[in-house]
Amino acid sequence: MRATSSTAPGKIILFGEHAVVYGQPAIAVPVTHVRAEVRIEPTRGGDSARILAPGVGLDTRVEDLPLSHPLSVALRGVLSACGVAEPLSDIPPFTLTIHSTIPVAGGMGSGAAVSVAVIRAVSAFLGHPLPDEQVNALAYEVEKLHHGTPSGIDNTVITYARPVYFVRGQPIETFTVPTPFTIVIADTGVPSSTAITVGNVRKGWQADPDRFNPWFERVGQLVRAARHAIESGTPRTLGPLMDENHALLQQMGVSSPELDRLVEAARGAGALGAKLSGGGGGGNMIALVEAESAEKVAEALRNAGAVRTIVTEIG
Ligand code: PMV
């Protein structure tokens, strides 16, 4: 067995979070200059497989990982898909090292990216590289540990590393971006739990479906308009769509004072539109900008309290 490596990008949701859980479409894009990287080396003379993730202080034998640990679920999934029987102590000795530059717990898909890179690296190491469809399905099983009933958008956009128009339960649609555009991603620094905000929206929807359903449907219309704008090469027109999507997310109750402050700061500094991205309650927001004003908007966001900004080109 030979050393192998694999890498997977981060991601950001452009449009449609939360409504996607209720059957509406959403658009997510890879963010390629943050990445999870996994390298596997055979350990000569070693008696056990080890996992190292220096960034989070992890150094363990695979059989010592708790069964419910995301890496354990990813490993068991890929080993069984490759026809390697349990127990984990019987697998050929290797050292698997994880490095990631994707911010953790910020809605940028760090968990899904690590899963995808681990699944690809391990299956290649064992001589059974898996097709994307299977990598995606295995990564989805790990996502369920993070937030119960995920729509599957994170693992999908990260597995395919292309813009995705995602409808829960439907075949995957990737699409192209003929005219690239620039977004600034800003982190409120407030930890957010997607499980909690998804649960709150569900409670609100159960209590008053007649209020929530029209919001979800309107988000779906915005997502379809956004896809059209991207595919027809007019990304500037995404700005007002982002603003309206943010207003709907506010109504659903998933924004926060910190997110709203950053959204206002971005618009004040010349962004074409801005919204929260992902689960909300904290975490990240995104702003659509002209490439030449990206740094100015990023600075305004930091001045308004963002703990980190990332400027990235989509397409
Ligand atoms: O917080 P993130 O970026 O993982 O996104 C969650 C997206 C939701 O629509 C809120 C939930 C989901 O499973 O799609």
Side-chain angles (χ1 to χ4, degrees), residues 184-215:
V184 183
I185 304 166
D187 187 348
T188 58
V190 178
S192 67
S193 158
T194 300
I196 290 177
T197 56
V198 167
N200 288 344
V201 171
R202 182 160 299 277
K203 277 185 223 139
W205 173 72
Q206 280 166 341
D208 197 348
D210 293 345
R211 249 159 66 93
F212 278 71
N213 285 335
W215 292 336

Side-chain angles (χ1 to χ4, degrees), residues 9-12 26-32 35 120 132 153-166 172-178 227 231 314-315:
K11 75 99 203 356
I12 202 91
I27 293 174
V29 291
V31 176
T32 49
R35 307 194 74 88
R120 287 217 174 102
D132 286 346
I153 190 168
D154 279 23
N155 45 283
T156 302
V157 66
I158 287 168
T159 298
Y160 291 89
R162 300 199 40 194
V164 165
Y165 179 85
F166 182 89
I172 288 138
E173 283 183 66
T174 58
F175 64 99
T176 50
V177 180
R227 178 177 181 174
E231 288 191 305
I314 307 299

Side-chain angles (χ1 to χ4, degrees), residues 11 13 17-18 20-21 107 147 149-154 194 198 278-279:
K11 75 99 203 356
I13 296 182
E17 50 277 272
H18 288 288
V20 70
V21 176
H147 50 94
T149 54
S151 62
I153 190 168
D154 279 23
T194 300
V198 167

Side-chain angles (χ1 to χ4, degrees), residues 1 75-88 90-92 122 126 128:
M1 292 194 195
L75 271 173
R76 283 166 207 278
V78 65
L79 290 171
S80 123
C82 293
V84 176
E86 302 255 8
L88 289 184
D90 281 359
I91 60 181
V122 172
L126 296 172
H128 293 274

